[in-house]
Amino acid sequence: MGKKSGDVSDKREIPQSLQALLQVDVLVTDKICNIFEKVVGRKWHTYYKGLEISCHGIPWLAGWLAFIWLWNSPSLYQMQVNFYLGLLVDIVIVALLKAITRRRRPRANQNDMFATISVDKFSFPSGHATRACYIAHFFARVYGVSDLLALPLILWAAAVSLSRLLLRRHHVLDVTAGIAVGILESLFISYIWFNQEHCVWILSLITDEKLDGGDYHV
């Protein structure tokens, strides 16, 4: 007999091999978090939350737009536009992956994240890890800032990624996948890199000012 409409479940059948992998992931995540809590205690929770906010999508999107608006320099146009495009790509990719996989967050997670949307209730991949690693890889490898600036960015990205585990927001696989996705996003942006002319045209859409480098500049 077929299922009646009222008996239909929205749960998907997960292969046993994948279930076993996810269970190991849960156990490994718990083990790592428990070890850290025994060694350093829970006094660092406030700092983990600070790292969470430092990599939140809204401050980065809004702050970068403000940077573009206030710091009008032709030498920065390509970096500004291509980096912002990567932030948008990151949001779309993470939202799609979360909606497809629909993995629940760890049971110990507290629902106290700032400014979340519907797909944020899902865990795979870690959006903070993708964004942090995209940012670090973009500036360290694609744009090529000095080592003096690249090293703090890499350390920050590593700290953000680790904090996602210690806050019990994600499992190890979520963060690992997030790191990989973030680096791939940066490589993708380097592949489709918009040149100066295209960047000037894009910036002209969001400002009334005449930008240096455009055909219309006087």
Side-chain angles (χ1 to χ4, degrees):
M1 293 177 63
K3 290 183 178 181
K4 295 181 180 179
S5 58
D7 297 332
V8 175
S9 173
D10 61 355
K11 293 183 179 180
R12 294 177 296 178
E13 291 294 331
I14 301 177
Q16 289 188 350
S17 58
L18 180 56
Q19 289 184 23
L21 175 62
L22 295 178
Q23 185 59 37
V24 170
D25 188 28
V26 171
L27 295 175
V28 170
T29 301
D30 285 340
K31 187 70 173 179
I32 292 174
C33 291
N34 290 335
I35 290 174
F36 264 86
E37 288 178 358
K38 287 182 180 179
V39 174
V40 303
R42 298 186 178 183
K43 61 183 179 179
W44 299 99
H45 183 84
T46 301
Y47 297 98
Y48 303 153
K49 289 286 292 182
L51 288 167
E52 180 176 78
I53 295 173
S54 75
C55 196
H56 195 282
I58 292 178
W60 274 99
L61 289 171
W64 201 258
L65 276 180
F67 171 57
I68 292 174
W69 184 268
L70 296 174
W71 206 287
N72 182 11
S73 173
S75 63
L76 297 177
Y77 289 167
Q78 290 188 64
M79 180 270 287
Q80 290 173 328
V81 170
N82 284 285
F83 177 76
Y84 196 78
L85 176 62
L87 291 178
L88 297 177
V89 168
D90 173 69
I91 289 176
V92 172
I93 290 177
V94 170
L96 287 174
L97 289 175
K98 285 180 180 289
I100 293 170
T101 59
R102 294 188 291 173
R103 187 185 192 188
R104 295 293 179 177
R105 291 185 182 274
R107 292 182 179 180
N109 174 56
Q110 300 295 319
N111 294 321
D112 59 353
M113 286 190 292
F114 167 73
T116 60
I117 59 177
S118 60
V119 293
D120 285 329
K121 65 183 178 182
F122 300 123
S123 186
F124 184 93
S126 166
H128 279 71
T130 67
R131 188 175 302 111
C133 291
Y134 162 70
I135 293 169
H137 190 272
F138 178 92
F139 286 108
R141 295 290 179 237
V142 177
Y143 187 62
V145 298
S146 67
D147 292 341
L148 190 63
L149 295 176
L151 181 58
L153 280 173
I154 294 172
L155 293 176
W156 168 76
V160 168
S161 299
L162 179 61
S163 72
R164 306 314 289 160
L165 295 178
L166 302 181
L167 277 172
R168 308 283 184 149
R169 302 292 197 207
H170 295 279
H171 304 93
V172 172
L173 283 179
D174 305 330
V175 174
T176 302
I179 292 171
V181 170
I183 293 174
L184 289 174
E185 289 170 346
S186 178
L187 293 173
F188 173 71
I189 293 300
S190 70
Y191 179 75
I192 66 166
W193 189 265
F194 284 12
N195 61 29
Q196 183 77 359
E197 182 180 354
H198 290 145
C199 292
V200 169
W201 178 79
I202 292 172
L203 290 176
S204 70
L205 299 178
I206 61 175
T207 179
D208 293 330
E209 297 181 8
K210 294 180 178 179
L211 302 174
D212 294 337
D215 293 337
Y216 46 78
H217 179 70
V218 293

